[in-house]
Amino acid sequence: MAKQYTEDLISGLKKDLRDKEERDDNAVERIKNGFIRFKTCKFDKCPKYFQELAEGQHPKFLVFACSDSRVSPSHVLDFQPGEAFMVRNIANLVPPFDQLRYTGVGAAIEYAVSSLQVENILVIGHSRCGGIERLMSFPENGSAPFDFIDDWMKIALPAKLKIKAEHSCLSSEEQNALCEREAVNLSLVNLLSYPYVQKAVADQTLALRGGYYDFVKGSFELWQLNTELSPPIIIP
Amino acid sequence: MAIVASTSLSKHPLFSSSFLPASTTPTKIFSSKLRFRETEQIRFRLSTFFNNPGFLLMASKEPVGLTTELGSDKIETAVGVENGCGMFDEMKHRFLSFKKKKFMENLEHYLNLSNAQTPKFMVIACADSRVCPSYILGFHPGEAFIVRNVANMVPPCESGPSETNAALEFAVNSLQVENILVIGHSRCGGIRALMSMEDEADSSFIQNWVVVGKNARLKTKSAAHNLSFDHQCRHCEKESINCSLLNLLTYSWIEEKVEKGTLSLHGGYYDFIDCTFEKWTLDYEGSNLKESDKFAVRSQSFWC
């Protein structure tokens, strides 16, 4: 009986290993086919374009988009290689300037604005964002904390507080949809806390734009953050 | 939809009691006092407003050409005088093209996706405009949860919360992806900055971020010190991917799944000079990670 048990155990482990290898092989096959298709249908057809690109990138956009698998800006807005320096994170958030805490995003903004001199920063939110849903429901729903996600989503807390205060009568789905857009606006405002962004916006060499992709309705909204100073009131 | 945020100008440095000639054009615009880790994060005082959307683009079930543009003439004029008028048009055309060729052609698939995403991959790639994983590896919507940062770095667990490990937590624990693929690439500006660093304590964001890859730099300097700087950078680009794979294992909930065999860690290197792609998989069982920081790889392949 012990022998049978051991044999069953070994057979089970071998099956697990085969399944895992098969999963790995399928995954590899998927990536390989994707790359071969890119090479034959795109790279090899435009060698001069890709050769120039290899020498240096000059994107006009810095794009912040969510990591969500459904919202790649390369699909939705057809960004071609070389067009957009792209940061993707949970809920497409831009934290305020903080050299200790948010070096990742800061590095991307610094590089894009100071070195690459992009002309536009586009922050794209989207429908049914898991990060925003988490922000709006935790900790009120009493669920266990996600250490890293919850810490990251705190960036958007002002957006949550605003929506909860102004739209408390709406359903949670409607509140989430509003918060998704409000978080984009918050990110645009946070961008202005980076000195090189401030300067470029003041010099009018950089535009800050917000976007919202609704993949339920199949729609896209686009807007711009304008900043202006009214003329001074002169008090003699 | 119009979201308007306006703040008063009363505390702006320009509005002091001293006389200001009418012709003064203020060059210093922002007076900002930033408070971090509090709910009110920004206190700068100027008037900001958000344009009404120039365009609201709808996909409908009617034939092509039936799109709805929101906005009165006044709004369109306001948009028109902005530098970005051409940009808005361009975005509009691209979105409509996506809607027609992809969204409407695969409506059922997109409707299913809108209910839930179940990607099998999490990809960590560089923010470089030339290396979008959706483009070069052909990931379709729903297939890959993608994080992009400067130099495709994964900080270790002990460095504390960051956007990259928040995304890892979501992808691994919530979406339960089966693969994590870290993709590096040729001529990476971030790696170049890492290799050029003279002094670790620097005030620039870029250097404060890429210092995550300092182990890769040490290994490169040790293994490739006799090579040219360009070749050292290339070596470091690949070494950094391996360091990121090791850093992934510093997260206990990742290591658990790798050990169980429900999660695989892969490295990838895209060379956009020759258009080649190298790929390898971390062999957890074949490595002795408690003894050293070298790991075994399997399923190495090179596509060209």
Side-chain angles (χ1 to χ4, degrees):
Chain A
M1 196 170 92
K3 190 181 173 197
Q4 183 60 43
Y5 173 76
T6 311
E7 279 174 10
D8 287 346
L9 191 64
I10 292 173
S11 154
L13 285 170
K14 280 184 179 169
K15 182 179 181 304
D16 282 347
L17 197 59
R18 274 197 307 274
D19 286 348
K20 181 178 177 329
E21 280 171 1
E22 196 182 314
R23 263 202 318 274
D24 276 356
D25 287 344
N26 287 342
V28 172
E29 211 45 41
R30 173 69 193 79
I31 307 169
K32 182 180 174 184
N33 291 339
F35 181 72
I36 301 291
R37 231 181 354 258
F38 158 70
K39 186 173 162 68
T40 50
C41 301
K42 295 189 181 157
F43 193 96
D44 289 344
K45 296 223 160 110
C46 310
K48 192 160 181 288
Y49 175 76
F50 282 97
Q51 206 173 24
E52 277 172 19
L53 216 47
E55 296 306 318
Q57 55 170 334
H58 307 283
K60 290 204 178 347
F61 285 86
L62 163 60
V63 175
F64 283 90
C66 188
S67 295
D68 192 300
S69 62
R70 302 166 283 190
V71 305
S72 170
S74 301
H75 286 122
V76 177
L77 294 178
D78 198 30
F79 280 115
Q80 301 297 304
E83 286 196 310
F85 193 80
M86 207 176 293
V87 172
R88 292 186 69 180
N89 62 38
I90 303 256
N92 42 272
L93 293 177
V94 180
F97 184 94
D98 186 334
Q99 284 189 295
L100 292 176
R101 204 165 171 204
Y102 299 121
T103 52
V105 173
I109 296 173
E110 185 179 277
Y111 190 65
V113 176
S114 301
S115 295
L116 298 177
Q117 302 190 329
V118 295
E119 296 170 5
N120 300 275
I121 303 182
L122 173 59
V123 181
I124 310 175
H126 72 96
S127 50
R128 295 196 180 159
C129 180
I132 297 291
E133 194 188 334
R134 175 72 187 170
L135 169 75
M136 293 293 278
S137 60
F138 180 83
E140 292 87 346
N141 62 1
S143 61
F146 273 115
D147 295 333
F148 298 124
I149 297 172
D150 293 329
D151 187 275
W152 174 249
M153 290 311 301
K154 278 188 192 146
I155 295 167
L157 203 49
K160 169 181 178 175
L161 295 172
K162 181 176 178 189
I163 300 300
K164 291 276 188 198
E166 294 179 4
H167 303 279
S168 52
C169 50
L170 296 181
S171 70
S172 58
E173 229 182 64
E174 286 165 320
Q175 286 186 10
N176 290 352
L178 287 174
C179 192
E180 283 152 4
R181 291 173 173 88
E182 193 59 39
V184 169
N185 288 335
L186 178 64
S187 291
L188 292 175
V189 167
N190 281 348
L191 278 167
L192 288 168
S193 68
Y194 293 77
Y196 18 88
V197 174
Q198 273 182 26
K199 183 172 188 312
V201 168
D203 292 344
Q204 296 189 337
T205 55
L206 180 65
L208 305 185
R209 306 183 195 275
Y212 184 79
Y213 170 43
D214 187 333
F215 52 61
V216 182
K217 295 180 191 162
S219 66
F220 196 92
E221 296 163 39
L222 191 57
W223 63 94
Q224 184 168 334
L225 169 63
N226 287 341
T227 58
E228 65 176 50
L229 286 175
S230 66
I233 303 164
I234 298 164
I235 303 163
Chain B
M1 178 212 71
I3 299 172
V4 176
S6 62
T7 53
S8 76
L9 285 156
S10 56
K11 291 199 178 148
H12 194 278
L14 284 177
F15 293 93
S16 63
S17 54
S18 62
F19 175 77
L20 283 174
S23 59
T24 298
T25 308
T27 52
K28 186 182 174 195
I29 296 179
F30 301 96
S31 162
S32 59
K33 286 185 181 154
L34 304 173
R35 299 210 299 252
F36 308 121
R37 299 186 188 86
E38 291 177 36
T39 56
E40 189 184 358
Q41 289 173 305
I42 291 182
R43 267 192 174 278
F44 64 84
R45 298 289 185 184
L46 47 76
S47 167
T48 62
F49 65 93
F50 301 92
N51 264 355
N52 279 327
F55 300 104
L56 174 60
L57 309 171
M58 297 291 296
S60 64
K61 289 183 183 160
E62 284 88 358
V64 167
L66 215 74
T67 54
T68 310
E69 282 183 27
L70 275 192
S72 63
D73 286 340
K74 199 174 170 190
I75 291 170
E76 288 204 17
T77 307
V79 170
V81 300
E82 297 288 351
N83 288 338
C85 176
M87 200 281 287
F88 277 111
D89 276 338
E90 179 64 28
M91 293 292 109
K92 172 189 170 186
H93 289 127
R94 287 180 186 209
F95 179 74
L96 290 175
S97 174
F98 157 74
K99 171 203 107 171
K100 176 184 164 192
K101 293 180 188 165
K102 295 184 185 170
F103 192 93
M104 297 308 291
E105 293 289 317
N106 302 286
L107 197 56
E108 201 183 320
H109 173 64
Y110 277 92
L111 286 176
N112 288 336
L113 267 186
S114 71
N115 289 324
Q117 55 168 334
T118 50
K120 293 212 182 328
F121 281 91
M122 174 182 186
V123 176
I124 297 159
C126 187
D128 192 300
S129 63
R130 301 166 283 192
V131 304
C132 175
S134 305
Y135 203 87
I136 61 170
L137 297 180
F139 286 116
H140 297 308
E143 287 192 317
F145 189 81
I146 299 177
V147 167
R148 292 181 72 181
N149 62 35
V150 169
N152 43 274
M153 300 262 179
V154 177
C157 186
E158 58 262 21
S159 61
S162 72
E163 67 267 37
T164 307
N165 50 35
L168 280 171
E169 194 175 36
F170 187 71
V172 174
N173 293 338
S174 193
L175 297 178
Q176 310 214 336
V177 295
E178 295 171 3
N179 302 277
I180 301 180
L181 170 61
V182 180
I183 308 177
H185 70 94
S186 51
R187 294 193 180 160
C188 181
I191 296 292
R192 202 169 185 90
L194 172 66
M195 291 298 290
S196 311
M197 268 170 71
E198 293 295 326
D199 183 358
E200 271 195 30
D202 192 286
S203 62
S204 86
F205 263 120
I206 295 171
Q207 300 212 337
N208 284 346
W209 168 249
V210 297
V211 79
V212 163
K214 63 181 183 296
N215 285 344
R217 174 185 146 112
L218 283 170
K219 288 181 183 177
T220 299
K221 291 282 187 197
S222 139
H225 57 90
N226 54 331
L227 298 180
S228 69
F229 184 69
D230 282 347
H231 281 108
Q232 286 187 26
C233 286
R234 193 179 170 86
H235 191 279
C236 191
E237 282 154 6
K238 296 185 185 180
E239 201 58 62
S240 166
I241 299 165
N242 288 333
C243 283
S244 288
L245 293 177
L246 283 174
N247 284 347
L248 283 171
L249 291 171
T250 62
Y251 297 89
S252 59
W253 27 274
I254 292 183
E255 193 182 15
E256 251 172 55
K257 293 191 177 217
V258 172
E259 204 176 3
K260 258 194 226 162
T262 52
L263 178 63
S264 297
L265 307 183
H266 314 272
Y269 182 79
Y270 170 46
D271 184 338
F272 52 57
I273 306 163
D274 304 325
C275 195
T276 58
F277 197 94
E278 258 179 84
K279 180 249 132 211
W280 59 97
T281 300
L282 188 149
D283 182 358
Y284 187 79
E285 287 102 21
S287 309
N288 190 356
L289 291 159
K290 291 188 184 11
E291 299 289 317
S292 84
D293 60 356
K294 286 190 172 30
F295 58 82
V297 298
R298 60 180 172 81
S299 310
Q300 252 181 312
S301 34
F302 185 83
W303 310 322
C304 57

